[in-house]
Amino acid sequence: MSTIVAPSLLAADFLNLERDIEMLNRSEADWIHLDIMDGVFVPNISFGFPVINLLKKATQKPLDVHLMIVQPVKFIDEIAAAGAAYMNVHLEACVHLHRVVQEIRNKGMKPAVTLNPHTPVTLLEEILPDLEMVLLMSVNPGFGGQQFIEGTVRKVAQLKEMILKQHTSTLIEVDGGVNLETGRKLVDAGADVLVAGSYVFNSEDPAETIRMLRAL
Ligand code: DX5
Ligand code: ZN
């Protein structure tokens, strides 16, 4: 089975968004990863509903929405209405994570929980059976183009072990500093989904880069 690849739109050319989405549509990209930032949970602001709501008209690819915002629970209805397949919420942003996860599922989306680099995977032990996916951040969230944090490979292996032990079918996604070299290590450790922003969009042939990442 090939690795699932979710290019991050954050690294696209926003003045030529339609062109870049068409490139993704023609490519082997499995999903499109959308990074939503509020300037509070992370020190940056990206894009919001005016952009997200247009995307489902422009692509058939499943939307993987990564919310880097405080109280993501407030926006579950809007994210569902925008047609998201996966809704990723940060564990660090949810006091009542179990309730948030159930609400995401009740709205017809697949719940995923994201962990910052410093957050141990063991904190997910109780909630793992309720999750479709865990997203491990391999950079501090907020910006594209940062350097990969090597310790993530060990976290992937540890999470994989938890998943096998609990017999769940949770996917492991990794986001930040992913390229062919770091991607190789992540897939070997048990990652199922790779998010890649700058590595895809800054490459000479983004569609070919996506194809190579899928082949890992
Ligand atoms: C960072 C975002 C990432 C970002 C990845 O906060 O969550 O999805 O776009 O960018 P690269 O692949 O350039 O590290
Ligand atoms: Zn992301």
Side-chain angles (χ1 to χ4, degrees):
M1 207 190 73
S2 55
T3 300
I4 297 170
V5 173
S8 164
L9 209 63
L10 195 63
D13 177 354
F14 279 54
L15 281 180
N16 289 290
L17 205 48
E18 196 170 10
R19 183 202 64 192
D20 282 0
I21 291 166
E22 272 162 20
M23 178 280 291
L24 292 177
N25 285 343
R26 282 192 306 271
S27 79
E28 292 178 28
D30 297 276
W31 308 341
I32 298 179
H33 183 84
L34 302 179
D35 290 299
I36 317 302
M37 306 177 187
D38 66 353
V40 180
F41 184 72
V42 289
N44 197 10
I45 293 175
S46 55
F47 49 82
F49 292 111
V51 174
I52 309 167
N53 286 331
L54 287 173
L55 281 172
K56 71 165 186 264
K57 294 190 192 118
T59 186
Q60 306 282 329
K61 306 257 185 194
L63 301 177
D64 173 34
V65 181
H66 175 197
L67 292 162
M68 286 160 273
I69 65 172
V70 294
Q71 296 187 291
V73 66
K74 284 186 179 170
F75 296 100
I76 293 175
D77 284 340
E78 284 87 344
I79 299 292
Y86 287 86
M87 179 167 166
N88 286 282
V89 295
H90 271 259
L91 175 140
E92 302 86 1
C94 299
V95 178
H96 300 289
L97 185 62
H98 186 270
R99 180 185 297 148
V100 176
V101 164
Q102 309 312 318
E103 284 182 22
I104 292 171
R105 200 180 284 284
N106 288 342
K107 296 293 171 182
M109 296 178 288
K110 294 180 176 173
V113 169
T114 311
L115 301 185
N116 274 335
H118 73 279
T119 305
V121 294
T122 48
L123 289 184
L124 295 173
E125 228 149 38
E126 297 302 323
I127 202 151
L128 203 54
D130 298 303
L131 304 181
E132 294 289 331
M133 184 162 77
V134 173
L135 167 52
L136 298 178
M137 289 309 300
S138 40
V139 296
N140 285 295
F143 302 92
Q146 301 182 79
Q147 202 187 338
F148 181 78
I149 298 171
E150 289 289 338
T152 316
V153 177
R154 189 173 31 84
K155 283 177 83 175
V156 169
Q158 215 184 332
L159 178 59
K160 185 73 188 178
E161 215 171 286
M162 276 169 61
I163 289 169
L164 291 174
K165 203 163 144 201
Q166 293 200 30
H167 305 289
T168 67
S169 50
T170 327
L171 295 175
I172 302 178
E173 179 175 43
V174 185
D175 182 7
V178 170
N179 54 36
L180 281 174
E181 192 189 325
T182 56
R184 171 81 274 151
K185 295 182 203 170
L186 292 166
V187 170
D188 287 348
D192 306 287
V193 187
L194 298 176
V195 175
S198 47
Y199 190 65
V200 165
F201 284 95
N202 296 346
S203 69
E204 215 142 273
D205 185 346
E208 175 61 11
T209 304
I210 291 166
R211 200 193 57 73
M212 288 194 291
L213 286 167
R214 286 187 92 236
L216 283 175

